Amino acid sequence: MTSEKLIRVLVVDDSAYIRKVMKQMLERSPFIEVVGTAINGVEALEKVKELDPDVITLDLIMPVMNGVEFLKNLMPTNPKPVLIASIASENGRMTMDAIEAGALEYIQKPTALATEKIYEITNELIEKVKILAQTRIPKPETAVAEIHNRRLKSNNRFEIVVIGVSTGGPQALRKIIPLLPTDFPLPICIVQHMPEGYTAIFSNRLNEQSKVKVVEATEGMTVEPGKVIIAKAGKHLAITPLQNGKKIAKLMAGNASNLYCPAVDVLFRSAAEVYGEKVLGLVLTGMGNDGKEGAAWIKAKGGIVLTEAESTCVVYGMPRSVDEAMLSDERIPLEEIAKRIVELTCTVL
């Protein structure tokens, strides 16, 4: 492979040891070249101009200019795919700030210490850099407004909306959920692939930005109209009916049959089994094929499946798998999805 075909990476971290190890880990792949390093955001901005990397790995806590400030300076003028490398327990809220500023992916450092434990993330690091090298950078965030100012009620065609999403998902969900009006009449359950420690923070952030209620899933939580439930990282989310007609959230441990935990397939299948033909499923941007099997369950029960159009996907992986399996009823650009959800599920009073 010639050098011009290599994925060119800039590593940004204030630790000399981490910079050295990140370079060693990434260059275990014959398809990746670390073209430079930077010790803080100010130096990183200069290196981006000089080197024009394909992907940037970014520490968050750095002197002079931290990772969030770097992103706020970079993304409006010279957007690049950015992979956050942090420790969730210390930097979870800061990571959400970074995602809102334009970072696309995140990887948990197993330690902040200068030990060989950091090498545990080698394979995941390489895989995510390869994925980000093929991504489409989302458009900058714009202000959102309610789709309808008048009252809504369910049109009875559907009783639940389920959504599966991965890479680029936080940005995509921020362009859908805050658009939904206060009286949206159905429950929404979401699987967003995230490391443990992030989903509670993300749910709280999205709740602050939305008119509907957004919460992280807990065992036994009621699945009810106007509530958006985001699966808890590290636990599958399923829906269980009670004898009184109510439906509740059930959290389950992962198993070898699912690459991700939570898995979109688990949520979609449970929704299809409980609600039958009254399920509206959406598969949005993300790598891999999680959601394809679940979409087949929804379709088999008579429900409807929508996929995000390739033109707006950060990674056209999950939607592609559903599209190619002929399971998608409609392919919709991201900016039109919230409106389409309301059109399919609601009647304006």
Side-chain angles (χ1 to χ4, degrees), residues 16 43 65 69 93 162 169 172 203-204 209 219 310 318:
E43 184 178 357
M65 179 185 286
E69 293 167 339
R93 295 186 182 280
V162 289
S203 300
N204 290 337
Q209 298 158 359
E219 180 69 25
E310 181 180 2
M318 289 165 52

Side-chain angles (χ1 to χ4, degrees), residues 34-271:
V34 175
V35 295
T37 62
I39 64 173
N40 58 51
V42 172
E43 184 178 357
L45 289 171
E46 292 301 318
K47 290 291 181 75
V48 172
K49 292 179 183 178
E50 174 190 347
L51 301 171
D52 192 27
D54 300 311
V55 178
I56 300 167
T57 68
L58 181 66
D59 188 20
L60 292 178
I61 300 177
M62 299 179 293
V64 185
M65 179 185 286
N66 66 32
V68 175
E69 293 167 339
F70 164 75
L71 286 163
K72 289 179 178 178
N73 280 274
L74 175 73
M75 301 307 281
T77 59
N78 189 14
K80 296 286 183 182
V82 175
L83 171 65
I84 300 300
S86 71
I87 300 175
S89 60
E90 295 183 4
N91 301 330
R93 295 186 182 280
M94 201 172 185
T95 299
M96 287 297 107
D97 291 337
I99 290 168
E100 290 182 1
L104 292 180
E105 261 290 5
Y106 26 78
I107 189 169
Q108 291 183 17
K109 291 178 184 175
T111 178
L113 303 176
T115 71
E116 292 193 356
K117 189 174 178 62
I118 191 72
Y119 286 97
E120 294 176 1
I121 66 172
T122 299
N123 292 338
E124 183 183 4
L125 177 65
I126 290 171
E127 183 65 21
K128 288 191 172 182
V129 165
K130 287 181 178 178
I131 291 166
L132 289 191
Q134 304 174 47
T135 57
R136 180 183 292 103
I137 304 297
K139 295 178 181 178
E141 294 291 336
T142 56
V144 299
E146 286 191 24
I147 294 172
H148 290 292
N149 292 321
R150 289 178 289 174
R151 292 173 54 222
L152 300 178
K153 70 173 183 178
S154 171
N155 61 17
N156 297 320
R157 170 64 181 88
F158 298 100
E159 292 184 357
I160 191 169
V161 178
V162 289
I163 300 174
V165 63
S166 186
T167 306
Q171 294 90 342
L173 292 172
R174 289 178 66 215
K175 293 181 179 181
I176 296 173
I177 304 304
L179 277 172
L180 298 176
T182 306
D183 57 352
F184 185 75
L186 301 182
I188 300 175
C189 292
I190 299 173
V191 165
Q192 160 73 64
H193 294 156
M194 276 187 169
E196 293 183 44
Y198 286 108
T199 46
I201 299 168
F202 177 61
S203 300
N204 290 337
R205 287 286 181 91
L206 196 57
N207 184 60
E208 293 171 358
Q209 298 158 359
S210 305
K211 290 179 170 54
V212 290
K213 183 178 181 180
V214 183
V215 296
E216 183 189 46
T218 57
E219 180 69 25
M221 173 180 286
T222 303
V223 178
E224 58 191 1
K227 181 188 287 185
V228 179
I229 299 175
I230 296 180
K232 181 181 176 66
K235 295 286 186 180
H236 291 307
L237 171 62
I239 302 167
T240 299
L242 300 179
Q243 290 184 348
N244 61 7
K246 290 185 178 180
K247 282 86 174 177
I248 61 171
K250 179 178 177 60
L251 305 187
M252 302 180 296
N255 55 62
S257 64
N258 296 108
L259 177 61
Y260 299 101
C261 187
V264 180
D265 286 331
V266 172
L267 171 62
F268 279 21
R269 177 172 178 172
S270 74

